[in-house]
Amino acid sequence: MALGERVGHVFRGAAIGVAEAVPGISGGTIALVTGVYERLIASAGHVVSAVRYAVADVPRGRGWGRAGEQFRQVYWSVVLPVFFGMVPGLLLAAKLLEPVLTQYPEHTRGLFLGLVLASVMVPLSMIPRPRHVGHLVALVAAAIGAFLLTGLPQAELTPHPLILLVAAAVAVCALVMPGVSGSFLLLTVGLYEPTITALNERDLGYIAVFGTGMVIGLASFVKLLQWLLDKHRRMTLAVMAGALLGSLRALWPWQTEDRTMIAPGDNLLPILGLFLLGLAVVSLMFVAEQRRLRRAADTLARESTYEPPASYRTPVNR
């Protein structure tokens, strides 16, 4: 893989990290838009399988064969750059976005509304034709479910280690499921601010418990999602698109503290401008990614049909 593409994956990871720090935005959505989603999910599945085989085989003297085979199937050239970008992106967003979200909540939600609305085109474009009526039903059902979920009033939970473990496991499922924001789920149960504070203050005990919950949740959910994408691809993508649409409820700029949607206020024009900016940014990202994929496909097609001149061919001994 070229150096430029690796650098691009670092920036994609940074965007995913920033998205995970913002309530209402899913890191999985950004991974979809930037074209790395399925490789990340496949890689996570191989890592989970490798760990499972290592735990089962090594103590019994069966060696690392099966585990090593799974590790070799991981897209390390994608996973590592994305990870190295995602961690600083998450930490930077936790530090810088918190005051912006507090001081300008309507403006930031307007920007994010445009970002996520444009993202809906990504899973829809990935659904192979022809589309079945069942896909439409699944899309509508997922949209309604996400709409109701994002309208739940905020609760308050004490960050007990067991509660934190479960919350982290659920939140990381949202990381790999486009349209569902892990940060928003934490906000709903009242654990968003303690988590952001723990990141900013480097509370290692809190971070360790939260990280353990993430590992448990990832190991439990990623294999299921990988199987769904493999066996029921169209239906899964339709559900993702519906979840994205329903999650727009959380990003409506004008809402009360208990998340009741209200009519636009006096600041309509600047918020509309930010909404259009978000719409344009993701649309441009989507178009650029589609062009990149077409160029890669064209290059692969030319290489597969290329025949060297006769003077370059290896003579055949007769």
Side-chain angles (χ1 to χ4, degrees):
M1 181 182 293
L3 176 62
E5 191 166 357
R6 286 195 174 94
V7 173
H9 288 325
V10 172
F11 283 106
R12 291 179 178 96
I16 293 170
V18 170
E20 277 305 302
V22 178
I25 304 289
S26 167
T29 299
I30 304 301
L32 261 179
V33 173
T34 55
V36 296
Y37 179 76
E38 293 198 58
R39 282 174 288 179
L40 292 179
I41 292 298
S43 297
H46 289 309
V47 169
V48 171
S49 295
V51 172
R52 188 176 74 245
Y53 287 144
V55 170
D57 292 351
V58 174
R60 299 177 182 178
R62 297 177 181 175
W64 294 86
R66 293 198 299 174
E69 177 61 27
Q70 290 296 319
F71 273 122
R72 284 189 290 272
Q73 294 184 54
V74 174
Y75 294 95
W76 294 112
S77 60
V78 176
V79 172
L80 292 179
V82 166
F83 178 79
F84 288 133
M86 186 169 66
V87 172
L90 176 61
L91 295 176
L92 186 63
K95 193 72 174 177
L96 299 181
L97 284 180
E98 188 178 11
V100 176
L101 289 168
T102 302
Q103 297 176 25
Y104 305 99
E106 295 178 348
H107 294 77
T108 51
R109 283 199 296 265
L111 175 64
F112 298 148
L113 181 65
L115 291 171
V116 176
L117 179 59
S119 302
V120 178
M121 72 177 79
V122 180
L124 288 178
S125 69
M126 295 168 64
I127 300 176
R129 292 179 175 84
R131 296 180 176 89
H132 190 271
V133 66
H135 304 151
L136 179 60
V137 172
L139 187 150
V140 172
I144 293 173
F147 185 90
L148 295 175
L149 176 65
T150 52
L152 293 175
Q154 182 172 337
E156 290 292 337
L157 287 180
T158 303
H160 184 275
L162 184 59
I163 293 175
L164 187 60
L165 200 71
V166 174
V170 175
V172 79
C173 295
L175 168 65
V176 298
M177 183 66 182
V180 184
S181 167
S183 294
F184 185 82
L185 292 178
L186 292 176
L187 187 65
T188 300
V189 298
L191 290 177
Y192 177 74
E193 289 187 13
T195 303
I196 291 295
T197 301
L199 283 173
N200 290 333
E201 296 181 356
R202 308 298 187 267
D203 185 342
L204 298 182
Y206 189 105
I207 293 173
V209 175
F210 195 89
T212 303
M214 290 181 66
V215 171
I216 293 172
L218 189 64
S220 304
F221 184 70
V222 73
K223 294 297 288 184
L224 172 62
L225 185 56
Q226 188 180 18
W227 179 83
L228 288 172
L229 285 169
D230 184 43
K231 301 297 183 182
H232 304 281
R233 180 179 178 80
R234 297 175 183 175
M235 187 65 72
T236 304
L237 291 170
V239 170
M240 288 180 180
L244 282 172
L245 283 171
S247 69
L248 296 175
R249 161 70 176 77
L251 298 174
W252 178 251
W254 301 277
Q255 50 184 285
T256 63
E257 291 185 1
D258 63 352
R259 297 177 183 164
T260 300
M261 300 171 67
I262 58 177
D266 298 333
N267 51 1
L268 174 61
L269 287 180
I271 292 176
L272 179 61
L274 289 168
F275 166 76
L276 294 175
L277 175 63
L279 204 66
V281 167
V282 173
S283 298
L284 290 173
M285 291 172 62
F286 176 75
V287 171
E289 183 63 23
Q290 292 299 305
R291 288 181 176 177
R292 186 190 69 82
L293 291 174
R294 282 197 295 270
R295 286 197 301 268
D298 291 342
T299 301
L300 184 61
R302 286 195 299 269
E303 290 176 351
S304 62
T305 58
Y306 172 74
E307 275 196 39
S311 59
Y312 285 86
R313 295 175 189 164
T314 304
V316 178
N317 295 325
R318 298 184 181 275

